[in-house]
Amino acid sequence: MDVDRLTLALLVLREDAPQLSEDDESTLQDKHMAHLSALHEAGELLAAGPVLGDPDRRVRGFSIYRCDVARARELTAADPAARAGRYRTELHEWIAPAGLLTFTPGRLPASMAEAFG
């Protein structure tokens, strides 16, 4: 059977994440979203979005990459929010029967303002 190899990524708030002002946190979130949007436009990221729940939840986001774990590790390490020490990423290789999953063309917002108008 042919399979598609994907990488699932969980974005996890680090226990030692730096405390940021509201403005600094907003700026970092926009940089994070711009990074994901650029990866999506380049075809490396299939889908991404926040995980909702309690304000003190550890898992903050979920993404599906169209690459192996090694490449996804490179891409997630370049995320400004990861570089700032706010998040760490848990990566899991995932296989599915080839062609089972399809993604409709779309666009990820590159900022909070774009996402929420």
Side-chain angles (χ1 to χ4, degrees):
M1 172 186 290
D2 289 334
V3 296
D4 291 327
R5 292 186 174 275
L6 305 166
T7 299
L8 302 180
L10 297 177
L11 189 68
V12 180
L13 181 64
R14 291 174 52 134
E15 291 183 19
D16 61 347
Q19 295 297 315
L20 301 174
S21 70
E22 190 174 318
D23 285 345
D24 288 344
E25 189 171 341
S26 293
T27 298
L28 187 58
Q29 181 66 19
D30 283 348
K31 289 178 181 179
H32 165 69
M33 292 177 71
H35 173 74
L36 294 177
S37 181
L39 292 177
H40 181 70
E41 289 291 320
E44 300 215 62
L45 178 63
L46 296 171
V51 172
L52 305 179
D54 293 329
D56 63 344
R57 69 196 180 284
R58 304 309 293 162
V59 176
R60 296 302 179 103
F62 176 85
S63 303
I64 302 173
Y65 288 85
R66 184 195 320 249
C67 58
D68 62 22
V69 170
R71 177 66 178 147
R73 188 172 290 114
E74 292 173 8
L75 298 172
T76 59
D79 184 327
R83 289 194 335 254
R86 181 127 177 100
Y87 299 118
R88 65 181 175 79
T89 307
E90 292 180 10
L91 301 172
H92 304 276
E93 187 172 16
W94 184 38
I95 60 171
L100 180 65
L101 300 170
T102 59
F103 292 84
T104 304
R107 187 171 176 286
L108 292 178
S111 68
M112 291 298 286
E114 190 177 327
F116 297 106

